[in-house]
């Protein structure tokens, strides 16, 4: 069967056709994967403007859908089911995909599967590499999320760690803005960091040893001992402030706290020499990558995981990819990372998660709605 998938949770309008292969070890094949990026529109504003994003999704969705059918060389009559991202994300953006998906499913009498965006990122791993050896520890690291999942059964995602404040991708985007590197920040820092000394600046790494009093809810109980579970959480806002302080010191501005807050949108970094920007970017990147991998590998060791997965936009990062593979090789644990086209937002991964869900729990009714804060476990 062919499934048509739609993804519009943030600033990418995407559609894909995914086919079932009949092979249990490698269950899905990509027939087409179309992404219309809005990056050029939001770059002008230094970040995603939700209202502009929704309007652009409306403009692009029909063309992207048609291109996905064309690239797959199929017609709508060859499609057996529809999957669409239900959340989390920007509600106005999500609504465009959800309304389009529902209208398509209703008009063609097709089953429709609402998909969690992070389930999509996780299933990008199986889509690219086949079923992971389980149990697996999977890190989803994107612009909106930094979450670690334990997977002991295909399609069952148990949250064991998450960021207490900013997502790693968000930290990349904010630090890039501060350094005058523009939007989106992740790829820009990745590029500039290659020319920098990653030991030039000594940024702090947050160590979380206390319980989180502001936690929205606990992560899965009983999978990890309580003290280990706490250590597995992430925090990136202190690191971001440390970079801000350093930039203001070097550019000769008094780094008092009020000024720091006000300067969050400054591009003070553009006043720094290129070699300083490269050193700061490289040191920041080293700190982020170490924080991500230390916790992921520690959790994997405790859980006796047979594999590690890393997915989401930040998994496109060259240092993260290289270090994850080196650590995995040294410890004898296989590390799976999607190819670049499946790291950042796309609809193929939503199709994979949609087929997984369709086969395990069936289609949804047509009365589901977009949910900006949808949770996964
Ligand atoms: O998964 P994604 O496309 O969207 C969300 O679900 O959030 O992730 C986007 C994030 C952005 O914060 C972007 O800066 C980051 O992924 N990113 C990177 C790289 N490429 C994209 N971060 C670090 N290095 C990269 N090469
Ligand atoms: Zn994403």
């Amino acid at each position: 069967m062919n499934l048509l998938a739609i993804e519009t949770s943030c600033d990418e309008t995407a559609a894909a056709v995914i086919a079932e292969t009949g092979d249990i070890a490698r269950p899905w094949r990509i027939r087409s994967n179309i992404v219309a990026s809005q990056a050029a529109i939001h770059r002008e504003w230094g970040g995603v403007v939700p209202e502009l994003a929704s309007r652009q999704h409306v403009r692009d969705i029909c063309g992207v859908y048609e291109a996905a059918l064309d690239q797959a060389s199929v017609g709508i009559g060859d499609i057996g089911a529809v999957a669409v991202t239900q959340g989390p994300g920007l509600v106005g953006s999500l609504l465009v995909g959800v309304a389009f998906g529902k209208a398509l499913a209703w008009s063609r009498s097709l089953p429709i599967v609402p998909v969690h965006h992070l389930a999509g990122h996780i299933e990008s791993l199986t889509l690219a590499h086949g079923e992971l050896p389980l149990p697996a520890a999977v890190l989803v690291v994107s612009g909106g999320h930094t979450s670690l999942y334990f997977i002991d059964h295909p399609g069952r995602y148990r949250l064991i760690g998450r960021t207490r404040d900013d997502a790693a991708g968000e930290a990349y985007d904010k630090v890039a803005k501060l350094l005058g590197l523009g939007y989106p920040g992740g790829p820009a820092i990745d590029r500039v960091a290659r020319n920098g000394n990653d030991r030039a600046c000594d940024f702090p790494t947050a160590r979380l040893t206390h319980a989180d009093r502001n936690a929205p809810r606990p992560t899965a109980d009983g999978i990890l001992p309580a003290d280990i579970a706490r250590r597995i959480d992430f925090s990136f806002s202190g690191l971001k402030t440390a970079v801000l302080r350093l930039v203001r010191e070097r550019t000769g501005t008094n780094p008092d706290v009020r000024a720091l807050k006000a300067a969050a949108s400054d591009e003070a970094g553009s006043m720094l020499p290129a070699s300083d920007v490269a050193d700061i970017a490289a040191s920041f990147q080293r700190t982020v990558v170490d924080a991500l991998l230390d916790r992921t590998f520690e959790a994997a060791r405790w859980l006796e995981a047979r594999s590690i997965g890393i997915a989401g936009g930040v998994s496109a990062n060259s240092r993260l990819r290289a270090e994850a593979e080196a650590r995995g090789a040294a410890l004898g644990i296989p590390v799976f990372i999607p190819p670049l086209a499946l790291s950042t937002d796309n609809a193929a991964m939503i199709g994979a998660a949609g087929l997984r869900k369709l086969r395990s729990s069936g289609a949804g009714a047509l009365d589901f709605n977009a949910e900006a804060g949808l949770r996964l476990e």
Side-chain angles (χ1 to χ4, degrees):
M1 190 194 60
N2 295 310
L3 174 140
L4 179 97
I6 294 160
E7 149 68 39
T8 62
S9 67
C10 188
D11 62 342
E12 255 102 37
T13 318
V17 176
I18 304 299
E20 286 178 303
T21 62
D23 174 355
I24 306 172
R26 222 186 166 89
W28 316 299
R29 180 169 70 84
I30 301 175
R31 295 195 61 169
S32 66
N33 190 19
I34 305 288
V35 180
S37 171
Q38 304 177 359
I41 294 168
H42 301 293
R43 187 168 295 131
E44 212 177 310
W45 306 92
V48 177
V49 184
E51 186 56 32
L52 294 181
S54 336
R55 285 166 193 262
Q56 195 60 33
H57 284 306
V58 172
R59 286 186 200 105
D60 285 341
I61 186 95
C62 293
V64 165
Y65 156 76
E66 279 164 11
L69 292 181
D70 273 1
Q71 193 183 68
S73 304
V74 297
I76 185 63
D78 303 311
I79 299 294
V82 177
V84 61
T85 307
Q86 180 185 15
L90 300 169
V91 75
S93 289
L94 289 164
L95 265 174
V96 177
V98 166
F100 186 91
K102 282 201 221 176
L104 183 69
W106 180 78
S107 63
R108 305 291 309 185
S109 302
L110 294 171
I112 184 162
V113 196
V115 171
H116 192 287
H117 183 77
L118 296 193
H121 277 302
I122 294 171
E123 296 302 350
S124 72
L125 294 164
T126 296
L127 182 59
H129 302 290
E131 296 288 5
L132 305 190
L134 299 182
V138 176
L139 174 70
V140 183
V141 63
S142 71
H145 298 269
T146 302
S147 301
L148 195 56
Y149 287 91
F150 178 61
I151 302 175
D152 54 355
H153 181 80
R156 183 167 177 224
Y157 320 110
R158 300 166 81 190
L159 182 66
I160 52 170
R162 39 105 176 87
T163 180
R164 303 261 185 105
D165 40 61
D166 293 354
E170 193 180 348
Y172 262 97
D173 292 336
K174 287 177 178 165
V175 165
K177 193 168 184 181
L178 192 68
L179 295 175
L181 295 174
Y183 172 87
I189 290 193
D190 198 351
R191 203 167 46 243
V192 169
R194 286 186 197 129
N195 309 319
N197 169 6
D198 65 4
R199 298 273 161 191
C201 319
D202 199 13
F203 293 128
T205 321
R207 292 249 173 265
L208 301 166
T209 49
H210 55 285
D212 182 356
R213 271 166 292 164
N214 301 314
R217 67 199 184 112
T219 46
D221 275 341
I223 299 181
L224 287 167
D227 55 329
I228 304 296
R230 243 177 261 142
R231 287 220 302 265
I232 300 300
D233 276 353
F234 304 91
S235 166
F236 294 105
S237 77
L239 171 61
K240 179 188 67 189
T241 308
V243 177
L244 185 55
R245 236 175 242 284
L246 181 73
V247 169
R248 291 188 71 84
E249 263 166 32
R250 296 226 179 143
T251 53
T253 334
N254 178 24
D256 82 283
V257 176
R258 265 170 304 129
L260 281 174
K261 284 198 174 141
S265 61
D266 256 356
E267 292 194 356
S270 50
M271 290 153 56
L272 289 171
S275 61
D276 276 21
V277 170
D279 285 351
I280 295 172
S283 305
F284 163 80
Q285 179 155 281
R286 173 177 57 82
T287 311
V288 173
V289 167
D290 284 352
L292 292 172
L293 294 182
D294 287 352
R295 286 160 177 77
T296 303
F297 277 83
E298 182 170 10
R301 189 170 57 82
W302 269 96
L303 297 164
E304 296 181 358
R306 292 181 56 227
S307 65
I308 285 176
I310 305 180
V314 181
S315 74
N317 186 262
S318 61
R319 180 170 186 139
L320 182 63
R321 296 173 89 90
E323 286 214 358
E325 265 151 28
R327 285 197 198 199
L331 295 170
I333 180 164
V335 174
F336 297 94
I337 305 173
L340 292 181
L342 296 181
S343 292
T344 46
D345 287 349
N346 64 88
M349 67 184 195
I350 302 301
L355 279 168
R356 171 92 76 200
K357 195 171 165 188
L358 182 68
R359 293 308 179 204
S360 67
S361 40
L366 268 176
D367 61 356
F368 72 92
N369 206 348
E371 276 186 42
L374 189 66
R375 292 189 186 286
L376 183 63
E377 292 287 302

